[in-house]
Amino acid sequence: MDMQRLTRTALPLTALTLLPLLAACGTESGSGSGSGSVGSGTTKASVTGVRWAVDSLTVDGKTAQAPGGAYLKIADDGEVNGNYGCNTFGSTAAFEDDGIDFEAARSTEMACGDAPMKFEESFARALDAEKFTAETTDGGLTLTTADGDTVKLSEEKPAELYATKWRVDSLLDHDVASSLPEAAEGKAWFTLDKKAGTVNGSLGCNEVSARATVSDDKITLGNPRTTRKMCSDSLMATERALLEVFKGTVEYRIDHRSITLTSENNVGIGAVADK
């Protein structure tokens, strides 16, 4: 398959589940309670326990919008997990007087397109290098450094299986996840319609629809119907890979606003809910 040749390589999916454990093995300073204030009258309790979607990052006066799927969650004990916009990471946070200090993070190393990787590098560098004050508003959080750089976040509610537009961001082959080719990024998606019992979406080039029967943690898919456009080789290769998912029954797993569909022969897709 025509995957991008980037310096990073895909890691096994099992590595994603280890990150919270890695974070927990960090320094115990992350569990410090400090004074309970993390800046601007904001308390530690109002920041922790919430999954915050990253909206934007402003560094040196330049603002970049976050890729879909970027998030940050801080547990009450200081354990941190999140996604930079491509890769998942784990860390710890120390709650100090009037601020939050993030420890060095451990992350997966999946390759993505230039835009999400550029954001990821900036976001990871900012979290690692700076201490932040926090300010919460109704459903929002702003982290600000002493230099005035900011991370804007908003509270992220869990996505529902049905009626959510799931945007495909990775291909799964046994325990390995690979990003879509750059030409296909943001173009492949699907939505499940409970009342109609169908799945509809795009393969990145052509539209697709099929019957879909959900039972427990599995979805049985009927023969797919697609349009017949011809696109670039990269898009058509992605399309063929996505169609592999439509061969019978897939197991689905939802993690807040991410979903994986895995077929019986251990290939599948990963997707995130549109904001």
Side-chain angles (χ1 to χ4, degrees):
M1 188 171 295
D2 185 19
M3 293 288 110
Q4 282 184 279
R5 295 179 60 87
L6 295 177
T7 55
R8 296 194 177 204
T9 57
L11 281 188
L13 287 177
T14 50
L16 303 181
T17 63
L18 296 177
L19 287 172
L21 297 177
L22 289 170
C25 293
T27 62
E28 293 183 1
S29 62
S31 62
S33 60
S35 65
S37 172
V38 289
S40 302
T42 298
T43 63
K44 171 186 171 183
S46 66
V47 174
T48 58
V50 177
R51 175 155 163 158
W52 298 102
V54 182
D55 298 324
S56 66
L57 172 67
T58 300
V59 177
D60 296 331
K62 296 180 180 180
T63 300
Q65 298 302 309
Y71 76 92
L72 177 71
K73 185 174 182 179
I74 310 173
D76 186 64
D77 64 359
E79 181 182 318
V80 176
N81 62 76
N83 187 288
Y84 290 127
C86 174
N87 284 286
T88 301
F89 69 91
S91 180
T92 53
F95 294 91
E96 303 174 351
D97 290 340
D98 298 323
I100 305 172
D101 190 5
F102 295 94
E103 305 293 337
R106 305 159 183 84
S107 73
T108 56
E109 296 182 354
M110 188 173 71
C112 291
D114 290 343
M117 291 305 294
K118 184 177 180 180
F119 183 90
E120 173 163 313
E121 289 166 3
S122 296
F123 185 28
R125 188 163 49 246
L127 287 182
D128 185 47
E130 302 286 359
K131 177 180 176 181
F132 295 88
T133 58
E135 181 179 4
T136 54
T137 56
D138 186 19
L141 169 66
T142 301
L143 300 177
T144 306
T145 71
D147 295 330
D149 296 338
T150 60
V151 183
K152 295 279 189 180
L153 310 99
S154 54
E155 186 174 354
E156 190 176 56
K157 302 297 185 182
E160 299 290 338
L161 174 64
Y162 294 104
T164 296
K165 186 174 184 178
W166 296 103
R167 194 165 296 281
V168 180
D169 65 355
S170 60
L171 301 174
L172 314 179
D173 187 353
H174 290 77
D175 286 337
V176 176
S178 301
S179 61
L180 300 186
E182 189 170 6
E185 286 181 359
K187 296 179 180 178
W189 59 272
F190 64 92
T191 298
L192 287 154
D193 186 321
K194 184 175 183 179
K195 184 176 181 180
T198 59
V199 59
N200 299 278
S202 170
L203 298 168
C205 175
N206 285 287
E207 296 177 359
V208 63
S209 63
R211 298 293 301 174
T213 303
V214 178
S215 177
D216 296 327
D217 59 351
K218 292 181 172 57
I219 305 173
T220 301
L221 299 165
N223 291 327
R225 299 179 295 277
T226 68
T227 54
R228 299 293 180 181
K229 291 191 299 181
M230 293 299 296
C231 297
S232 68
D233 290 345
S234 179
L235 282 176
M236 295 307 291
T238 301
E239 185 162 304
R240 288 191 294 272
L242 294 177
L243 280 172
E244 286 294 314
V245 179
F246 285 85
K247 293 184 177 180
T249 299
V250 295
E251 183 176 332
Y252 77 90
R253 179 176 180 272
I254 294 178
D255 181 9
H256 203 78
R257 295 186 66 81
S258 299
I259 189 171
T260 56
L261 303 182
T262 309
S263 68
E264 293 172 347
N265 59 350
N266 290 317
V267 298
I269 59 175
V272 296
D274 260 9
K275 291 184 179 180

